[in-house]
Amino acid sequence: MNTSPVNPAADGPHRLDPAGGCPHAANARLLARSAVAPVILPGEVEGMAVLGHDALKEFLSHPDVAKNAAHFAALQAGGIPDGWPLKTFATVQGMTTADGADHRRLRSLMSKAFTPRRVEELRPRIEALTASLLDGLEAAAVAGDGVADLRTHFALPLPMGVICELLGVEAEHHDRLHRLSNQIVATDIGPAEAMAANREMVEVLSAVAAARTEEPGDDLTSALIAAREENGDRLGPQELIGTLMLTIIAGHETTLNLITNAVRALCTHRDQLALVLAGGASWEDVVEETLRWDSPVSYFPFRYPTRDLELDGTVIPKGTPVLAGYSAAGRDTKAHGPDAARFDITRDNKARHLSLGHGAHFCMGAPLARMEGTAALEQLFTRFPGLDLAVPDPELPRHASFVGNSVQKLPVRLHG
């Protein structure tokens, strides 16, 4: 038997499609070769992706892996142009690009908004908003000859409404912030459009910060501003805007994809839906299995080894931009068994996934995302148990991004 190690570059690096698409077939091919794969990012930028569950878990908590773009070799050498579609992920100032003491400082400031008590206090508001949005979804279906876009009328406004309420962002900004978030996470966007989206996002969030400075409220933005004013080095102006940007994008895009993907999974696995409706499994089980089986985030940018790092037999050179391959890790057969590609809400190890991160940068909003997802699915299918897709799942238009993993629209019939 040939036991020589697999060379992940044997067939050349994997060219990530800026237009996105369903990641699972390509992930399976890459995982069959190695847990770590060389990739070509937009603009012919060379990078790596960590795909295997165990390798990704090790990588996410490795002491010689950084988030700060000071360690991004090509960027520091002037090889990354303005308008590069992934540049914001590298250069925005906030928790996702901070290391060590800076990261701990920013996380400490944010953590007050995401304590178990504060999240639990949001439950009545989440449940009331969910019920109201379902009324709107039903009205949209009546107006649309029985068909409504569940993503537009339900899966999007729920997490956007919750995160903006948490931050003290006025409702007038919601649609604009979602449009800008979509552009910022898009990987098929042109340089001019990318820079314009970033400028506009900064303008909107600067206006939000100015409003909360003028009229502080019981919200996270006001608390962050107060912390900055109490001690000038706690949170700089760019860090404030960067933190708001990251919180809005992470706080609604991921939960939006989670709810959308869970509905798709249940509609295409009616036996699993019947099991939950009969009380044989819980809505929490659906959320965890969706996170594993169809992660809301496919490839998340970036981390950088601070030295040449060997991971699962592959060397990742110092300063390489590395993607965390959450969608691949969730279906890694070495971690989840030979049936890892099967959606099964009764599997024992479904919560073993890494889709909410691992280590120091574990998703702070995980309890909130889980609560929103559970409340959304329970109310949706309790009210509309016959809900089904109006378009076959393979025909649904995919995200124009290899970062987010979902579809752009989700037309459904509420009564099958």
Side-chain angles (χ1 to χ4, degrees):
M1 183 175 68
N2 182 4
T3 57
S4 60
V6 173
N7 177 1
D11 300 323
H14 174 61
R15 186 173 294 274
L16 288 161
D17 185 355
C22 182
H24 298 301
N27 286 345
R29 289 194 299 271
L30 291 170
L31 273 171
R33 287 156 51 181
S34 177
V36 182
V39 296
I40 301 296
L41 300 164
E44 302 302 305
V45 175
E46 295 181 359
M48 301 283 275
V50 182
L51 310 161
H53 176 280
D54 291 348
L56 182 56
K57 187 173 183 180
E58 178 184 348
F59 183 73
L60 293 176
S61 58
H62 201 288
D64 296 320
V65 172
K67 293 279 279 179
N68 192 302
H71 301 280
F72 185 171
L75 179 68
Q76 298 307 317
I80 304 296
D82 288 337
W84 188 53
L86 296 167
K87 194 168 186 178
T88 298
F89 287 101
T91 59
V92 65
Q93 291 192 32
M95 279 193 305
T96 65
T97 55
D99 296 310
D102 266 350
H103 176 250
R104 290 190 292 273
R105 172 175 58 88
L106 292 167
R107 196 171 177 96
S108 174
L109 287 169
M110 293 288 290
S111 64
K112 298 176 182 62
F114 295 100
T115 62
R117 180 185 64 81
R118 187 71 186 266
V119 170
E120 188 57 37
E121 287 173 353
L122 289 170
R123 186 182 295 276
R125 174 64 183 136
I126 290 170
E127 292 180 346
L129 179 57
T130 300
S132 172
L133 291 171
L134 289 177
D135 291 341
L137 180 66
E138 188 163 31
V142 170
D145 196 25
V147 175
D149 182 0
L150 185 139
R151 188 173 172 89
T152 297
H153 294 286
F154 182 63
L156 164 61
L158 175 59
M160 178 61 94
V162 172
I163 202 66
C164 284
E165 186 169 318
L166 197 63
L167 289 171
V169 176
E170 296 88 346
E172 68 200 60
H173 296 307
H174 291 193
D175 288 347
R176 192 176 178 196
L177 286 172
H178 173 64
R179 174 177 59 80
L180 293 170
S181 296
N182 255 338
Q183 290 177 307
I184 287 169
V185 302
T187 48
D188 68 341
I189 193 170
E193 196 179 3
M195 288 189 288
N198 275 278
R199 281 195 302 269
E200 189 177 348
M201 177 69 95
V202 170
E203 288 172 10
V204 175
L205 296 179
S206 296
V208 169
R212 295 286 69 79
T213 301
E214 186 78 19
E215 293 183 36
D218 182 24
D219 57 75
L220 180 56
T221 304
S222 299
L224 292 172
I225 291 168
R228 184 180 71 188
E229 291 174 348
E230 287 164 15
N231 184 344
D233 66 358
R234 292 296 301 280
L235 191 70
Q238 286 183 305
E239 285 179 326
L240 174 63
I241 299 303
T243 296
L244 294 178
M245 183 188 300
L246 293 165
T247 304
I248 286 170
I249 294 174
H252 93 277
E253 287 280 351
T254 51
T255 309
L256 160 60
N257 289 350
L258 167 62
I259 295 169
T260 301
N261 292 355
V263 172
R264 292 169 50 227
L266 290 172
C267 287
T268 53
H269 299 80
R270 306 300 297 191
D271 60 324
Q272 303 284 293
L273 174 58
L275 187 64
V276 189
L277 292 174
S282 69
W283 295 108
E284 288 83 2
D285 291 331
V286 176
V287 166
E288 294 308 318
E289 179 66 345
T290 302
L291 286 167
R292 180 200 72 81
W293 183 73
D294 207 9
S295 172
V297 176
S298 193
Y299 292 97
F300 192 77
F302 286 116
R303 284 171 167 82
Y304 320 94
T306 57
R307 62 172 177 82
D308 288 357
L309 185 69
E310 183 173 329
L311 197 66
D312 197 56
T314 298
V315 174
I316 305 176
K318 175 183 176 180
T320 300
V322 182
L323 299 168
Y326 294 117
S327 62
R331 296 197 184 189
D332 183 358
T333 56
K334 292 180 180 177
H336 302 289
D339 69 341
R342 182 165 63 92
F343 181 74
D344 178 8
I345 61 175
T346 67
R347 72 172 66 240
D348 292 335
N349 66 346
K350 57 184 170 290
R352 192 185 170 203
H353 64 78
L354 299 169
S355 293
L356 296 169
H358 178 68
H361 286 269
F362 179 80
C363 176
M364 185 176 286
L368 181 59
R370 285 179 161 121
M371 179 188 287
E372 290 178 57
T374 302
L377 295 170
E378 181 171 14
Q379 284 201 44
L380 176 67
F381 284 104
T382 299
R383 183 161 168 178
F384 306 114
L387 182 145
D388 207 351
L389 303 182
V391 174
D393 188 69
E395 296 177 18
L396 294 170
R398 299 289 309 194
H399 255 326
S401 171
F402 55 72
V403 178
N405 173 41
S406 193
V407 294
Q408 296 179 24
K409 298 178 180 179
L410 190 62
V412 298
R413 296 188 184 278
L414 300 185
H415 304 288

